[in-house]
Structures are given as structure tokens and as C-alpha cells.
Amino acid sequence: MSFTARSIANLKDSIDIVDVISRRISLKRAGSNYKGVCPFHNEKTPSFVVSEAKQIFTCFGCGASGDAIEFVKRYNNLEFNDAIRQLASEYGIEMEENRGYGEDLEIYYNINRDAALFFYKAFTEKANKGYSYMKRRGIRPEILKKFGIGYADESWNSLYEHLTQKGYPVDKLIEVGLVSESKGRYYDKFRNRVIFPIINTAGKVIGFGGRAIDPNDNPKYLNSPESKVFRKKNNLYGLNLSRASVGKEGFIILVEGYMDTISLYQGGITNVVASLGTALTENQSHLIKRYTKDVVLSYDSDSAGVAAALRGMEILHSDGLKVRIIKISGGKDPDELIQQQGVAAWQQAIAAAQPAVDWLLAQYRQQLDLTTAAGKRQFTTVGLALVNRLGDPVEREHYQRQIAQ
């Protein structure tokens, strides 16, 4: 739901942009203005200026500019109305809703919220395959509740009937990917699956992931499609729960899947997120950078995992982030390691995490025969192509010497 122009103007008059921004990044007075390092791009020399008199910010490096609402929108990766809600809540300012103005995204959030509640009740109120599956995986009830885990039953239309009875239009249910249509008949998209609600940092349910329970059901994981409220590239699974811990620990752990995130969280490793089953994106890197500049990647050790680690490392490095990579022996993923060897084994793996370039060069060494000229040539070509993309000249020279040796 949008807000009246009068209440938006009142919000702007009631807050100070310097206070809003300094709660999120460090600012220093520079004459009549304030300066800081821009949070929207990688820079070492501050070019981000906040004018208290004009109540605007401007970055002379990347060109970002706007008022306090625009800053919060960009900084927290929010829609315009959600940025207003956050500021209003933060400063205790009451807003007036304008029901006749603008596109109403609230209906999509409400649909997802009610669907999440429906799945959660199906998961918790009576015996079901989803709960049995998660119990076998060793996830405790309080953690299941924390993540809002649900169950989509085997019916073809139970969610469809529930949501349409609540008055939601079918076209909106199709838009958010909860319902499909075929030959004039409507049916639930998620059936006989464990449901993982995807929640943004504003606390809104924006989509779902569904894990097949029957091994014959494909795909193994089914995710919500892109919609007006869900963009995979802009979100990270679990960040709504982990962001406070990320600040406390000083680094973030990036894993591949929902279960990896949940298992680590249950083990007390709460500074963990997952990239929603997609290759890491620049937007996700920017999102991480708002909370920390130190990233630990934990991907599978197969060829696909190595390729994903390489792509992720390049994106994170180009964003000015420090990247380390965890090596888990035996091809295990974080969930398997926690379940089989306990939290202590994971803590050891974190302590032994290698700088990303060292890890990748070691992978190349294992794959190539360095006793031959061809192997040496290929290692040098691939290794230098990786190292020459590093932004730090000292770091580049260090690895160039290492490769030559």
C-alpha cells in the first residue's frame, strides 16, 4: 500500500538525513557538509557527501544521489514503500495510507504471508511427510520454527482453494508462482514438498523454495519464479536472521543451499546465508558488502562447485571484498559435515579456510600434470588469467611470483 504525499512530506520534515545515514555508515564533518566512503560502490577515497542544509546525499564517484528515503531504499535493497515503512518505524512516525494511488505491492506480500502460514500449519498441526523428513535430517523444532519451515501437501489444489477463499484473485496467485493453470484448471505449484519461505531484510515473505520428499519427484528443488516482489539476484536466503551475527562475527559464510544454512544455524554458526540456488550476482555482493567485507565461501568440491567458487570469487574481489574458501574433505557439504562430525569439525574448517586465490591455484595444480611442459604451460596460462584480474597490485605480484616458482 502506498502513502499519502502529505504523510511522506511529514516524514521527510521529521527526520534528519545526517542522522539517518550516520546510523548506517561512518560520516565526518567537512565544512558545512559531511563526508564518508560510499556504500554503493568500491572506493578508498571518500567521495560521498551529505548536505544537512539541503537534506540530500551525493556520491561524486558513482553518481548516486537522493534524499533520506532514497538512501534507505538503496542501502537496504528495499522497494520505495518499504523504505518509508522502515524509516517511519525507526523514528516512530505514523503514516497515512493512500489506497487509490500507485501500484499496490502489499497484496503480493499478503499472499505470500498467508501461503507461508498455510504451509506452516500443515507442517506443524498434524503428522506429515515434510516434518518426518526434517526430523530425519536432525533439525530441531525451535530451528524449524525460526525459519518458518512448512509443508505443501499432496493435494492438487488445497492452497489454491485456501487463498481464493480468502479473496485473492487467481491472476495474482499465478504471478507469484503459487498456482499454475492448464486447460482452464488451476493447481498448486508446490506439492508434497518441504517449504522454505524466503524472507527479505524487511521481514516480508517474498518467495518460496520447495524440496522434494519423494526421490522420484523432479526437480529436487523448486523455487518461486521472479515476480514484482521477488528478485533472486537481489536477495540472500537467511540474511534476515543472520545480519546481526554477521556484524558481530565480522564475516559472512556463503553456502549453496537451504539445508546448509539451517544446519549451520542450528549448530550455532549464525552468520550464514545462501545464494538461492543461483550463481552469485553483483547485487548479492553489494548486499553482503553492507554488512561485512570478509566473505567465507563454502561450495561443493566437485567441478561445478569449483567453477561456482571461481565466479563468486571474481565478483566479490571486484567489489573490494576479502574472500576465503573452506575446503571440506571427502566431498561433504556443510550440512553433511555438521551432521556427521559435529560443530567442532566445522569450526576447524573455518579456521583452515584458505585465501580464494591459493585455493583455486591448488585446484589447478591437482588437475594438471606439472611434470610436463604442456601441464606447466596450461597451469601458467590459467593461473595468470586468474591472478591478473586481482585489483591489488601487491597481491598480483605475490601470486605471479608464486606461479613462476
Side-chain angles (χ1 to χ4, degrees):
M1 189 66 66
S2 61
F3 302 99
T4 63
R6 180 176 61 182
S7 65
I8 294 174
N10 177 62
L11 174 68
K12 291 181 180 180
D13 290 341
S14 302
I15 60 178
D16 174 38
I17 193 170
V18 175
D19 182 62
V20 170
I21 295 178
S22 62
R23 291 185 181 197
R24 293 160 173 85
I25 67 170
S26 177
L27 294 177
K28 291 184 178 180
R29 182 175 282 279
S32 60
N33 297 322
Y34 291 81
K35 292 190 74 173
V37 174
C38 181
F40 306 127
H41 80 290
N42 184 31
E43 65 174 14
K44 295 181 180 179
T45 303
S47 61
F48 183 85
V49 178
V50 182
S51 169
E52 190 171 27
K54 297 179 181 178
Q55 289 291 297
I56 60 171
F57 71 89
T58 303
C59 177
F60 294 96
C62 69
S65 65
D67 59 14
I69 296 173
E70 178 64 17
F71 179 87
V72 170
K73 175 185 169 184
R74 282 174 173 259
Y75 188 83
N76 290 312
N77 197 29
L78 299 173
E79 300 290 341
F80 177 74
N81 288 330
D82 288 333
I84 291 175
R85 285 189 187 88
Q86 185 173 111
L87 281 168
S89 175
E90 187 174 338
Y91 288 90
I93 298 168
E94 194 170 329
M95 301 296 296
E96 298 173 348
E97 294 183 348
N98 184 352
R99 298 180 180 275
Y101 176 78
E103 183 180 24
D104 184 7
L105 297 179
E106 200 66 25
I107 188 171
Y108 300 104
Y109 293 127
N110 289 341
I111 289 170
N112 284 333
R113 179 202 62 207
D114 285 342
L117 287 171
F118 179 83
F119 291 138
Y120 182 74
K121 288 180 178 180
F123 185 76
T124 57
E125 293 185 351
K126 60 182 180 180
N128 61 85
K129 293 180 180 180
Y131 192 88
S132 298
Y133 172 82
M134 294 300 282
K135 188 175 180 180
R136 288 196 304 273
R137 297 291 295 263
I139 308 302
R140 299 193 302 270
E142 68 270 22
I143 300 298
L144 296 171
K145 182 177 181 180
K146 187 87 174 176
F147 282 86
I149 304 303
Y151 172 61
D153 62 34
E154 297 178 81
S155 167
W156 282 80
N157 59 2
S158 59
L159 178 64
Y160 164 76
E161 290 184 350
H162 174 75
L163 293 176
T164 52
Q165 285 173 8
K166 292 180 77 70
Y168 292 119
V170 177
D171 62 324
K172 302 295 185 186
L173 305 183
I174 293 174
E175 274 190 66
V176 296
L178 289 169
V179 170
S180 294
E181 184 269 336
S182 177
K183 298 179 180 178
R185 300 184 66 181
Y186 300 101
Y187 58 92
D188 296 347
K189 196 75 169 284
F190 296 99
R191 301 186 304 279
N192 193 30
R193 290 177 179 269
V194 175
I195 298 296
F196 302 88
I198 300 166
I199 302 171
N200 66 14
T201 53
K204 302 281 189 181
V205 181
I206 56 175
F208 300 91
R211 205 278 186 199
I213 299 170
D214 188 332
N216 295 320
D217 284 348
N218 287 306
K220 181 179 178 180
Y221 280 97
L222 179 65
N223 296 312
S224 293
E226 300 280 295
S227 72
K228 291 177 180 176
V229 296
F230 181 43
R231 297 285 189 272
K232 292 180 190 177
K233 68 180 183 179
N234 295 340
N235 294 278
L236 293 162
Y237 180 71
L239 186 59
N240 60 307
L241 297 176
S242 68
R243 54 184 176 164
S245 181
V246 170
K248 180 180 177 182
E249 297 294 334
F251 68 97
I252 195 168
I253 300 166
L254 184 61
V255 296
E256 289 190 272
Y258 304 116
M259 286 303 301
D260 292 332
T261 304
I262 293 169
S263 288
L264 289 174
Y265 199 98
Q266 176 170 268
I269 313 298
T270 55
N271 54 329
V272 58
V273 297
S275 53
L276 293 172
T278 59
L280 189 72
T281 67
E282 290 182 0
N283 286 14
Q284 288 171 328
S285 179
H286 298 337
L287 186 57
I288 289 170
K289 192 175 179 180
R290 293 172 191 169
Y291 300 97
T292 183
K293 292 187 176 181
D294 191 347
V295 183
V296 175
L297 291 178
S298 181
Y299 287 173
D300 291 347
S301 56
D302 58 14
S303 58
V306 172
L310 176 59
R311 289 194 300 271
M313 186 212 76
E314 289 177 339
I315 289 171
L316 294 164
H317 263 301
S318 67
D319 213 5
L321 301 179
K322 174 186 174 184
V323 186
R324 291 175 288 156
I325 296 183
I326 289 177
K327 182 179 180 181
I328 301 177
S329 61
K332 296 182 179 67
D333 59 29
D335 178 37
E336 290 173 323
L337 183 67
I338 287 278
Q339 296 295 335
Q340 295 175 17
Q341 299 181 34
V343 177
W346 175 259
Q347 295 283 17
Q348 290 173 4
I350 291 179
Q354 294 178 286
V357 177
D358 291 310
W359 183 84
L360 286 164
L361 290 177
Q363 297 297 315
Y364 295 147
R365 280 197 295 271
Q366 292 174 9
Q367 294 169 10
L368 300 170
D369 182 359
L370 299 188
T371 64
T372 67
K376 290 176 182 178
R377 183 171 57 251
Q378 189 174 355
F379 175 77
T380 303
T381 301
V382 174
L384 287 177
L386 165 68
V387 168
N388 289 338
R389 288 195 288 269
L390 296 175
D392 186 337
V394 175
E395 200 174 15
R396 280 201 307 272
E397 183 178 355
H398 167 79
Y399 286 112
Q400 288 166 352
R401 289 180 181 273
Q402 183 175 315
I403 291 170
Q405 186 177 11

